[in-house]
Amino acid sequence: MAEVESFQLDHTAVHAPYVRLIGVETGPSGDAVSNFDLRLTQPNETAIPTGGLHTIEHLLASLLRDRMDGVIDCSPFGCRTGFHLITWGTPSVATVARALTDSLRAIAEDVTWEDVPGTDKYSCGNYRDHSLFSAKEWSTAILDQGFSTDPFVRTPLAD
C-alpha cells in the first residue's frame, strides 16, 4: 500500500489548533497543488460531533473561497478533528490560517441558518445531520485558542 503522509504524523506530538502544510504536488503541466492540515481539535482528546462538523464543512466550502484564491476542496477528516484543504498554487500557512480564522469568526458571530448552503435533500447526501448551534460553539472554542502555524509548538498567529 502507498504510504500516506498524514498517517506518518505523530498525532501525540502535535498541539491543535494549527494549520500545517502537508505537501505540494506538481502536475504534468507544472501546476502546483497544496494540501493543508487544518487541525481544529487535539487528536485523540476531542472530536467535533458530526452535526457541527458537517455544518462547518458546508460553510467553509464557501467562506474559504470568499477569503482566498485557489481553493479546490475542503474535506473533513474521518476522525472529526479537522479538515484537509486542497488548493491550487502554494499559499503560505499564515495566509491559510488567517482565512480559516476569519471564516470561523464568521461562523461564530455572523452566520444564520439561512446562510448555511446545502441543507436540503436535493443538495446534501445527509441533510438531517447539521447543527449550526454546534458549529458556532466549536468555532468559538477554537478561535479562543488561536491557530498556530507550527503543529508542534503552540505559537498562535497574531491577528
Side-chain angles (χ1 to χ4, degrees), residues 136-147:
K136 285 180 170 290
E137 292 287 307
W138 279 96
S139 293
T140 299
I142 294 160
L143 288 168
D144 286 347
Q145 297 175 70
F147 283 98

Side-chain angles (χ1 to χ4, degrees), residues 80-132:
R80 302 181 330 219
T81 63
F83 293 83
H84 277 287
L85 175 65
I86 311 298
T87 68
W88 290 109
T90 56
S92 72
V93 171
T95 296
V96 173
R98 284 186 182 91
L100 179 58
T101 297
D102 194 48
S103 296
L104 290 179
R105 188 171 289 119
I107 294 169
E109 298 173 3
D110 302 325
V111 167
T112 66
W113 178 249
E114 291 73 29
D115 298 320
V116 182
T119 57
D120 61 39
K121 67 182 181 179
Y122 304 102
S123 57
C124 180
N126 193 9
Y127 75 99
R128 292 181 188 96
D129 190 18
H130 278 281
S131 173
L132 182 57

Side-chain angles (χ1 to χ4, degrees), residues 2-17:
E3 190 172 288
V4 177
E5 189 280 344
S6 295
F7 299 143
Q8 306 308 311
L9 176 69
D10 182 350
H11 286 68
T12 66
V14 298
H15 302 285

Side-chain angles (χ1 to χ4, degrees), residues 16 40-49 79-82 138 145:
L40 305 183
T41 69
Q42 187 61 35
N44 299 306
E45 291 183 17
T46 56
I48 301 172
C79 61
R80 302 181 330 219
T81 63
W138 279 96
Q145 297 175 70

Side-chain angles (χ1 to χ4, degrees), residues 9 13 18 24 35 42 52 65 74 93 95 108 115 152 154 159:
L9 176 69
Y18 63 80
V24 179
N35 182 5
Q42 187 61 35
R65 283 177 171 88
C74 187
V93 171
T95 296
D115 298 320
F152 302 104
R154 285 293 304 146
D159 284 334

Side-chain angles (χ1 to χ4, degrees), residues 32-36 68-73 85-91:
V33 176
S34 298
N35 182 5
F36 292 89
M68 59 183 289
D69 293 328
V71 172
I72 296 172
D73 188 45
L85 175 65
I86 311 298
T87 68
W88 290 109
T90 56

